[in-house]
Amino acid sequence: MTAEVPQTLKAALWMTGAIASFSSMAVAGREASFALDTFEIMMYRSIVGVLIVSVILTFTGSWQQVTRRSMGTQTLRNLAHFTGQNLWFYSVTVIPLAQVFALEFTSPLWVIVLSPLLLGERITPVRALAAMIGFLGILIVARPSPETFSPGLVTAASSAVFFALTTMLTKKLTRTETVGCILFWLTVMQLVFGIIAAGYDGDIALPDTQTAPFLLVIGFAGLLAHFCITNALAIAPATVVVPFDFARLPAIAIIGMLVYGEALDIWVLVGAMVIFGGNYMNILAETRRNRVA
């Protein structure tokens, strides 16, 4: 018992870093959007990402890990992530941050729905129930009606689908590729996608002294968030990590209230709890099944 407490504490510290990273990326994305569109934000974010990943690969002597044997899957994965990230950045500029984060938590539920098609995995009764509970949470968060309908709600919910596709394709890639290889092609390909999307009209806005710091935060925080989550999962089970991850919803709700004057919507929190319940029920079932196996 005493040996587990420090590991849980370490996982909590890693997840604190993830929460801070995701929250700072959302705020920085909203601030940068006043001068840049989402494609330009993604392009500059990818430039920062390429530099960071290249420096890490150089200092660790890991360039040999970067291969081209799975370029088809790498391309599909990075197109999905690029699309999801653009939808997410647009969402944080037009709807309350808490709503964006709540709908983003449905991504694992979309993995349940889509994995039989892409990974050949079976939908168990528990997985089906978890998905239905989660989608009930979506209805509570969005409360769709002619009065409450917003393009931002649609893009936030859609981003979760593309993040789910990214997760499944990443799982497929990890069977043959290292994390360094995946991150390198992630940043390089998304830089190319960003240049094409931002420059199709022949007009790419340059960052100024006000927006440049926000772009640095976006690029660094995006990589740091996933690094923190990976480390947390490496030392603690998902049943411990996921509740900590959920803490970023009330955290971003408070940030939205303090920084942007966004009202604390009780239904967003209720819906998010329902989404969390569906996710957590599935995690508990999977954990028990793996122990039996």
Side-chain angles (χ1 to χ4, degrees):
M1 181 65 70
T2 55
E4 294 180 3
V5 174
Q7 294 297 84
T8 301
L9 179 58
K10 289 177 183 177
L13 292 173
W14 279 117
M15 289 310 299
T16 301
I19 291 167
S21 298
F22 279 124
S23 300
S24 60
M25 187 167 64
V27 172
R30 179 175 286 188
E31 293 297 322
S33 71
F34 293 117
L36 305 170
D37 62 36
T38 55
F39 293 133
E40 290 165 342
I41 291 173
M42 282 296 295
M43 183 189 72
Y44 289 120
R45 175 199 173 177
S46 298
I47 291 174
V48 176
V50 168
L51 292 174
I52 293 173
V53 173
S54 297
V55 168
I56 292 173
L57 290 173
T58 299
F59 276 89
T60 59
S62 303
W63 278 104
Q64 74 279 2
Q65 296 179 2
V66 179
T67 70
R68 291 183 291 177
R69 60 187 163 213
S70 304
M71 294 305 290
T73 306
Q74 297 274 20
T75 302
L76 287 174
R77 175 195 183 273
N78 294 325
L79 275 172
H81 190 267
F82 181 78
T83 304
Q85 198 70 75
N86 273 287
L87 292 170
W88 188 86
F89 274 123
Y90 172 77
S91 300
V92 301
T93 68
V94 295
I95 63 174
L97 298 178
Q99 276 190 320
V100 178
F101 276 46
L103 292 170
E104 184 187 348
F105 278 119
T106 64
S107 182
L109 303 173
W110 284 109
V111 172
I112 294 173
V113 173
L114 297 173
S115 59
L117 300 175
L118 297 179
L119 299 177
E121 295 183 355
R122 185 171 62 91
I123 293 186
T124 64
V126 173
R127 288 178 178 176
L129 179 59
M132 286 188 288
I133 292 173
F135 294 129
L136 173 62
I138 294 178
L139 295 177
I140 296 173
V141 171
R143 300 188 303 285
S145 71
E147 293 76 24
T148 60
F149 176 80
S150 163
L153 289 173
V154 176
T155 54
S158 300
S159 71
V161 179
F162 284 99
F163 288 149
L165 289 170
T166 302
T167 298
M168 288 182 286
L169 291 168
T170 302
K171 183 176 180 180
K172 185 176 180 180
L173 280 171
T174 54
R175 296 169 184 167
T176 59
E177 310 301 332
T178 64
V179 173
C181 178
I182 294 170
L183 286 178
F184 175 78
W185 289 118
L186 165 71
T187 53
V188 169
M189 286 187 180
Q190 291 200 146
L191 175 57
V192 175
F193 300 153
I195 291 173
I196 294 172
Y200 79 97
D201 59 354
D203 181 23
I204 297 178
L206 296 174
D208 55 23
T209 54
Q210 286 186 318
T211 55
F214 294 121
L215 294 173
L216 289 173
V217 169
I218 291 169
F220 182 74
L223 291 174
L224 181 61
H226 294 287
F227 179 75
C228 289
I229 291 175
T230 301
N231 277 281
L233 288 170
I235 61 177
T239 49
V240 172
V241 173
V242 168
F244 284 118
D245 187 35
F246 185 77
R248 62 186 163 105
L249 176 65
I252 199 65
I254 293 171
I255 291 171
M257 179 185 66
L258 295 176
V259 178
Y260 299 109
E262 296 176 352
L264 290 175
D265 188 338
I266 185 63
W267 290 111
V268 171
L269 298 178
V270 170
M273 286 297 295
V274 173
I275 293 169
F276 170 76
N279 281 328
Y280 202 65
M281 182 181 70
N282 183 57
I283 290 172
L284 288 173
E286 294 295 321
T287 302
R288 292 194 191 101
R289 190 172 68 169
N290 291 335
R291 285 175 180 170
V292 172

